[in-house]
Structure formats: structure tokens, C-alpha cells
Amino acid sequence: MATNFLSTANPFHLATPTYVHKNQIIKCNVKRDSSLCKVVNPSVTKRSISISFVTSMVLSLTGKGLFDANAAILEADDDIELLEKVKKDRIKRLEKQGIISSSTKETGYLQDVVYKLSEVGKAIEKNDLTTAGSVLGSGKDTTDWVQKANIALNKLSSSPEEKTEVDTFNSSLASLVSSVAQNDVKSSKIAFVSSAAAFEKWTSLTGLVGKLNGL
């Protein structure tokens, strides 16, 4: 009976008995008439598990953790650069305010420019180029107040953008004087708008808006 049962059993069925001998684990694979046994060292198994665990931890730390650390360093550098820029800008503003406060005479020259542009604008709006011409002056009169205006403009201009507006103002003002002298209403209006816009932008850049009346 037992013989018949064994002969009809699944020939591919494997049994894997395990024995412990002198603190060693012995696993055996049995195939029909032959068997193969392998000694497994428990200490090696534990060490392999430990190495795998440590490796996983290192990969984790050198992955997301390192990325976060680098990102934090970059953000800190950006914050430092921003603070330095803010500090430098503040120093420049304070220096500019100090120069403006000590430039009473130059501020007076600029106030005269505001007055003349205002009067010229009113006259041109009425197509009254005669009055506009008398305000602007001719010959030495024009040269005198324009020279004084440029003394102030150059002294109080520090940035390239401010100097660009000074050049635009002078160019437009020259066109305005010429157009008014030629009794060209259309060109006078265009030149006036350009002159006034350049001067107003310059005062905004330099911080003089609140110190000049009429703007």
C-alpha cells in the first residue's frame, strides 16, 4: 500500500528539510534518489541584511535629503544677495537725498525750468507761439537758463537712465526752441510734449518730484 502511494506521487515534488547542527543551518533539497544539502551561516545572513539596510539609508540621505540641503543653501545665497542689493540701493538713495538737500542753488535752476515749461505749454495749447517764444527767450537769454538747467541736471544725475533722460530733454528742448522760432505749431507741440515728458521722468528717477512745485 505504501509502495503504491509512493510510486504514484508527483515526481517533481520537492521536500526541503532543514536541520540545525552545531549552530549551523543546513537546508537540503531532495529529488527522488538524490539530495543536496547547503550550509547557511547565520552570521553572514545577518550581515547581509545589515548591509542592505545601511545601503538603503545612505541612498535615502544622499537623495532627497541632499537635494533639500542644496536647495536651502541656494535660497540662503539668494536672500543674502537680495539683502545686499537692498542695502546698496538704500545707501544710494541716502547719498542722493544728501546731494539734493545741499544743492539749493541747483534746485532753484530746476524750478525755473518747471515754470518756463508750464508757461510755454499754456501758450502752445492756444497756438500762441509768440508768447511761447518770449518765455523761451532767444540768443543769450535762452542759452543762460538752459546752461543753468544743465548744471543742475548733470550734478544730480548719477545713473545711466537719468543721464539718458537728460540727453532726451536737451534734444527735445532744442527742437522746441527751433520750432517756435519757425512758427511751426505742430512741431512745437510734439517737441514740447517730448521735453516735458523727459524732464518729468528725470525728476521721478532722481527723487525730485516732491521738491519742485508745479509737477
Side-chain angles (χ1 to χ4, degrees):
M1 187 72 173
T3 302
N4 292 334
F5 176 79
L6 290 173
S7 63
T8 58
N10 187 346
F12 298 101
H13 176 74
L14 300 178
T16 309
T18 302
Y19 307 95
V20 178
H21 178 68
K22 293 182 179 180
N23 294 326
Q24 291 184 329
I25 300 174
I26 302 175
K27 293 184 176 181
C28 299
N29 292 330
V30 180
K31 293 183 179 179
R32 288 196 171 221
D33 297 332
S34 63
S35 63
L36 177 64
C37 296
K38 181 180 179 182
V39 177
V40 180
N41 191 332
S43 61
V44 174
T45 302
K46 292 179 180 179
R47 185 167 61 251
S48 299
I49 294 173
S50 298
I51 291 173
S52 298
F53 177 74
V54 171
T55 301
S56 299
M57 290 294 292
V58 170
L59 289 174
S60 175
L61 291 174
T62 56
K64 182 179 178 181
L66 183 59
F67 176 79
D68 290 344
N70 288 337
I73 292 172
L74 292 175
E75 288 179 2
D77 290 341
D78 291 341
D79 290 342
I80 292 173
E81 290 179 3
L82 180 61
L83 288 174
E84 288 296 326
K85 185 179 183 301
V86 171
K87 188 185 297 183
K88 289 179 180 179
D89 290 343
R90 182 172 180 274
I91 291 173
K92 287 181 180 179
R93 285 196 303 271
L94 291 175
E95 290 176 349
K96 176 61 70 69
Q97 291 302 319
I99 294 173
I100 291 173
S101 298
S102 62
S103 302
T104 306
K105 182 171 63 175
E106 287 77 12
T107 304
Y109 294 158
L110 296 174
Q111 186 63 63
D112 188 42
V113 173
V114 174
Y115 165 76
K116 288 184 180 300
L117 288 178
S118 177
E119 293 300 311
V120 169
K122 292 176 184 178
I124 291 177
E125 188 177 11
K126 299 175 182 178
N127 296 331
D128 185 1
L129 298 188
T130 301
T131 301
S134 65
V135 174
L136 290 172
S138 60
K140 185 179 180 300
D141 292 336
T142 302
T143 303
D144 183 57
W145 74 266
V146 171
Q147 283 183 343
K148 289 179 179 179
N150 274 280
I151 290 173
L153 291 170
N154 292 327
K155 180 180 180 179
L156 300 176
S157 297
S158 55
S159 71
E161 191 175 5
E162 292 168 358
K163 294 176 181 178
T164 297
E165 293 305 321
V166 171
D167 292 339
T168 302
F169 170 74
N170 281 318
S171 176
S172 300
L173 184 62
S175 296
L176 175 61
V177 173
S178 176
S179 297
V180 169
Q182 295 174 15
N183 203 33
D184 187 338
V185 175
K186 182 178 180 180
S187 296
S188 296
K189 289 181 178 180
I190 294 173
F192 170 78
V193 171
S194 181
S195 300
F199 184 78
E200 187 175 4
K201 185 175 180 180
W202 179 85
T203 57
S204 177
L205 290 171
T206 55
L208 275 162
V209 175
K211 298 183 179 297
L212 297 175
N213 298 322
L215 290 178

